[in-house]
Amino acid sequence: MTPQYPARTGGQVLIDQLVRHGVDTLYGVPGESYLAALDALHDAPVRMVVCRHEGGAGYMAEAYGKLTGRPGVCFTTRGPGATNALVALHTAEQDATPLVLFIGLVPRGHTGRRSFQELDLRATFGACTKLVETVDDAARIPEHLARAFATATGGRPGPVVLGLPEDMLTDAVRVADAAPAPAPEGAVSPAQLDCLTDLLASAERPLALLGGSRWTPGARADVRAWAEAWSLPVAVDFRCQDLFDNDSEVYAGALGYGRSDALATRLRDADLLICVGAAPGDVTTDGFTLLPAGGPGPRIVLALPEPGAPGLLRAPGLTLLAAPDAFGRAVRDLAPAGPVAWAALTKEDRAAHLAHRTPVHDDDPLDLGAVFAELDSRLPPDTIVTFGAGNHALWAQRFLTYRDGSRQLAPRNGSMGYGIPAAVAAAIAHPGRQVVSVAGDGCFLMNGQELATAVANGATPLILLVANGTYGTIRQHQEQHYPGRVSGTGLVNPDFAAYARAFGAHGETVTTTEEFAPALERALAVGTAALIELRTEGRLAPGETVATTGPAAHPAQGAPGCPN
């Protein structure tokens, strides 16, 4: 006998599927195209965080995906609303973050008639997503949603777009819910473990490189135990400093923009490179110059959650189809037969990292090296740190310590405007944890209005805003390539502290080093969202000002395309 399911609108079926898939929070800007879904949310155990811009909503969902490993969920309306969220899809695609974007669409009968706000989803979003589908039949919502979530989390995670025609959401249907599908983890075979052991035993200058996503606390702990047993130096990919406890004696630092020269040399001279979670890309390798295609180079081990590694210029000697959890479980108890040949080299790598992360003190009235040293000493070990794109991030990347339990939420695709929405999402998800966002004056104003979302939801992130009056990264490159010819990089800023107070947040301006510690104390104790403007003139990067920047400056200090 066929089961009789209760009649539900498409909107109700959709929200019921989100609950079935463990969604507790979604982010969005309301639209008339998905009113039926909004109505179903009224009685659902799912929190909707109402944002002030679809770009901010998308970033919040992406940050949630980074933070939890589960798909972040975002809702937008059609046309302009959907395209405003495109930046978050690009971030999720490049950063391998699970995200599902639901887009309300024109009624099915209006499709193909250039209707108001009509949008071709596949043409618009297909290039930066894993899957784009339109749900034309409400009875198939469970199928579509289960596939979307499985696709977003499986293999190399990424974004999925589901289109929701307005009239489909009001159809009444009788259909069963669909169960979530687990993401396969892969595995490491005994023969592959033997091969990995042999490669390590014959190496003299090995280096482990951790990156990508799908890292769990268990994977972090297992990989750390393995690396420390082998005294194996560990580097992390760009903006992945939370993957490995920075206090470990085998932690050698982060590659990518802002990396140390010593670590770059270490990568270039390695004879074995073990990559877990991600293959080395252009940012990691200084445009592939540290790992060239031809000539001598390291043997490479790839442990990835999906087959293939786009952009890899050297063929791996061993490929493992395994997510970080599966790799970690396989290698945790793998120990060397005796002392390793590179133990002294690992100590040198550690010493070089500690020297690089020691704050650079400037003779400015406001010494940002001292500011971040003070901040680092005050933050609890489970702090969540967020930032966007630009030179302001160099202080947070280089001078803050990411310990076991810390999280770093930052866009690996160099997307400006990310840090504030990410901080709001993190503070909403973890109200008992300290959340700190480091912003630049250019980056902040791209989504600073999401302070309204923080205040509305009782979220209490602390924002440190480095205000130097310029799009700093681009100004740095400008001074290197076109010295003395400033064009298009200057900023005229508001009073950022007053801006924060206008939203109901705490706001202060700091112009000297001595003012910072008391201001930090007040901001941490105030019990609301707080912003401290760090007003500095001419400071582009640690140890570098407009006056000292020139054609001979180190090109790795800034990130191309990350203006502030």
Side-chain angles (χ1 to χ4, degrees):
M1 183 175 178
T2 304
Q4 293 298 309
Y5 301 106
R8 294 177 287 176
T9 66
Q12 187 65 58
V13 174
L14 175 67
I15 301 306
D16 287 347
Q17 303 319 297
L18 293 180
V19 173
R20 183 73 184 271
H21 281 74
V23 174
D24 54 21
T25 307
L26 59 86
Y27 311 86
V29 176
E32 67 272 23
S33 59
Y34 66 95
L35 283 175
L38 287 173
D39 181 70
L41 271 173
H42 185 275
D43 301 316
V46 179
R47 179 179 191 173
M48 181 173 182
V49 176
V50 180
C51 306
R52 305 311 292 262
H53 189 274
E54 290 88 357
Y59 280 144
M60 289 188 201
E62 199 278 348
Y64 179 95
K66 273 192 173 82
L67 194 57
T68 66
R70 304 192 304 272
V73 175
C74 180
F75 273 72
T76 76
T77 194
R78 58 207 180 202
T83 51
N84 278 344
L86 178 57
V87 64
L89 296 179
H90 185 268
T91 303
E93 194 282 326
Q94 290 225 324
D95 290 24
T97 305
L99 186 152
V100 180
L101 175 65
F102 293 94
I103 301 174
L105 298 179
V106 300
R108 286 164 292 186
H110 296 186
T111 302
R113 294 177 172 176
R114 203 177 292 276
S115 301
F116 178 65
Q117 297 184 337
E118 185 180 1
L119 189 68
D120 185 330
L121 294 189
R122 286 191 173 89
T124 305
F125 301 110
C128 59
T129 56
K130 295 182 71 175
L131 177 70
V132 179
E133 292 186 335
T134 296
V135 186
D136 286 321
D137 182 354
R140 295 186 62 187
I141 289 175
E143 170 195 341
H144 280 282
L145 194 134
R147 181 163 54 246
F149 273 60
T151 302
T153 55
R156 182 183 185 274
V160 170
V161 169
L162 280 186
L164 309 170
E166 182 178 351
D167 58 329
M168 181 276 298
L169 290 174
T170 61
D171 285 350
V173 295
R174 298 179 184 272
V175 63
D177 296 332
E185 293 184 1
V188 181
S189 71
Q192 289 172 326
L193 272 182
D194 289 343
C195 182
L196 177 60
T197 303
D198 291 343
L199 287 170
L200 278 167
S202 62
E204 296 180 354
R205 300 178 304 282
L207 180 67
L209 174 63
L210 314 184
S213 59
R214 296 189 65 173
W215 287 85
T216 65
R220 290 177 174 87
D222 288 344
V223 170
R224 178 180 179 181
W226 165 70
E228 290 179 342
W230 286 83
S231 192
L232 181 65
V234 174
V236 295
D237 205 347
F238 181 53
R239 296 184 165 176
C240 291
Q241 282 138 300
D242 61 342
L243 297 187
F244 201 85
D245 192 326
N246 295 186
D247 285 336
S248 170
E249 289 301 313
V250 300
Y251 179 67
L255 287 159
Y257 302 121
R259 52 84 178 142
S260 71
D261 290 341
L263 189 56
T265 299
R266 185 69 175 81
L267 173 60
R268 187 177 59 240
D269 293 343
D271 63 354
L272 176 64
L273 182 63
I274 303 173
C275 304
V276 184
D282 61 323
V283 175
T284 316
T285 63
D286 286 10
F288 301 108
T289 60
L290 300 177
L291 200 65
R299 292 169 293 179
I300 295 177
V301 176
L302 290 181
L304 304 177
E306 70 170 359
L312 188 68
L313 299 182
R314 303 184 70 91
L318 175 63
T319 300
L320 309 174
L321 184 57
D325 255 333
F327 177 83
R329 286 196 301 270
V331 302
R332 179 181 177 90
D333 297 324
L334 196 66
V340 296
W342 56 83
L345 186 57
T346 300
K347 291 182 179 179
E348 293 177 11
D349 295 336
R350 177 65 179 169
H353 163 68
L354 292 176
H356 182 66
R357 76 164 304 278
T358 300
V360 175
H361 292 287
D362 304 310
D363 57 5
D364 302 343
L366 179 59
D367 178 358
L368 290 179
V371 163
F372 279 84
E374 175 70 19
L375 180 66
D376 195 46
S377 71
R378 291 295 311 277
L379 295 180
D382 65 346
T383 297
I384 301 170
V385 178
T386 81
F387 43 87
N391 274 16
H392 68 274
L394 293 173
W395 280 274
Q397 290 174 199
R398 184 171 169 182
F399 303 135
L400 295 183
T401 308
Y402 298 88
R403 297 180 170 87
D404 188 25
S406 302
R407 293 304 309 272
Q408 182 184 81
L409 305 180
R412 293 170 210 149
N413 73 328
S415 184
M416 293 180 68
Y418 178 92
I420 303 306
V424 174
I428 290 172
H430 294 286
R433 291 173 67 174
Q434 181 63 59
V435 178
V436 175
S437 185
V438 179
D441 42 6
C443 191
F444 174 82
L445 279 181
M446 291 195 173
N447 274 307
Q449 76 282 345
E450 298 302 343
L451 271 175
T453 307
V455 172
N457 287 273
T460 61
L462 168 63
I463 300 164
L464 300 184
L465 197 158
V466 180
N468 59 4
T470 186
Y471 283 120
T473 303
I474 306 308
R475 175 67 181 275
Q476 184 175 1
H477 288 297
Q478 195 171 62
E479 293 292 346
Q480 290 166 3
H481 298 288
Y482 303 96
R485 295 176 59 81
V486 180
S487 176
T489 51
L491 295 174
V492 177
N493 286 326
D495 181 334
F496 287 109
Y499 181 89
R501 292 194 295 268
F503 287 102
H506 175 80
E508 293 194 44
T509 300
V510 168
T511 59
T512 68
T513 306
E514 294 73 24
E515 294 172 346
F516 177 69
L520 177 63
E521 190 71 33
R522 289 188 293 270
L524 292 174
V526 72
T528 66
L531 182 148
I532 301 175
E533 178 184 353
L534 304 173
R535 194 171 293 174
T536 179
E537 296 295 333
R539 179 61 54 188
L540 295 180
E544 191 160 350
T545 66
V546 171
T548 61
T549 300
H554 198 296
Q557 289 292 337
C562 307
N564 65 306

